[in-house]
Amino acid sequence: TSLYTNYSESFTPNSLKDLNDKILDPETGKGYELGIKQKLFDDKFDLTTALFKIEKDNVAQLDSNDPTNTKYKASGKQESQGFELDLGGDITSNWSIVSSYGFTATENKDVNDNDLRNIPKHTANLFTTYKLSALNLPDYYIGAGARYIGNKYADDANNIKLDSATIYNATVGYKKGHWKANLSVQNLSDEEYVDGALSSNAAGTRVYVGTPRTTLATVSYTF
């Protein structure tokens, strides 16, 4: 068992300009994290859990009063806090699993403590791989999993809520010695979902569609 804590400060200069053609003040932030790492089941599994809080000031956002969609404003103070859980390990010598869950509560201090746009409260991920030793193919493996993205808002006023989505992935691969080959399919069911949104008075609310079904093939050699 190990405990850890972390404190950080950030300072990001801005090059964006407001309606008066003045450069915005730098974005500043503070981060706090407290976590624990634990070995489980004779060291076959690793569990990590963490609590966090992030505070930011002068975050640049598009100014909804600008008809050209090129001017920005400092949004004031924003906060996010929550926790994360990660669990991974080997169920058997051939079967492994990786999973995670995150909860994030956000507040836009300048807009009635509304939720920040594009940030879901709940996220989760589960992926498992299995070596095909039982089929006398010890160098081959298959895998499958799912990624969950919870509801989120598309605008600062929290009037438009984007639906949650579950994205399925699968893979098949070969690994022996220094060589590794892999064929994976992301968004297996070709789910249509919104990855993010942008709002302004001039253009309304625009959403950006998530990545459709995608097939990736890789071959690598480790020296």
Side-chain angles (χ1 to χ4, degrees), residues 6 18 28 37 56 110 119 124-125 136 145 154-155 168 172-173 218:
N6 181 60
D18 62 16
T28 59
K37 297 182 179 182
K56 288 187 175 182
D110 280 4
I119 301 179
N125 181 67
N136 201 28
D155 60 335
Y168 299 96
V172 59
T218 61

Side-chain angles (χ1 to χ4, degrees), residues 3 5 19 27 41 51 56 62-63 69 79 86 94 109 137 146 164 172 192 204-205 220:
L3 299 172
T5 185
L19 284 172
E27 176 186 311
F41 307 115
L51 301 173
K56 288 187 175 182
L62 276 172
D63 194 329
N69 264 1
E79 290 186 1
D86 295 280
N94 294 319
K109 293 297 186 179
L137 298 170
S164 61
V172 59
E192 292 185 357
T205 299
S220 61

Side-chain angles (χ1 to χ4, degrees), residues 136-182:
N136 201 28
L137 298 170
D139 300 323
Y140 291 85
Y141 62 89
I142 57 175
R147 179 168 59 96
Y148 174 78
I149 306 169
N151 295 323
K152 54 189 175 183
Y153 288 102
D155 60 335
D156 293 330
N158 290 178
N159 291 325
I160 304 174
K161 179 180 282 189
L162 304 174
D163 291 336
S164 61
T166 302
I167 313 302
Y168 299 96
N169 306 306
T171 187
V172 59
Y174 171 85
K175 184 177 181 181
K176 185 174 183 180
H178 297 285
W179 287 99
K180 182 178 181 180
N182 182 268

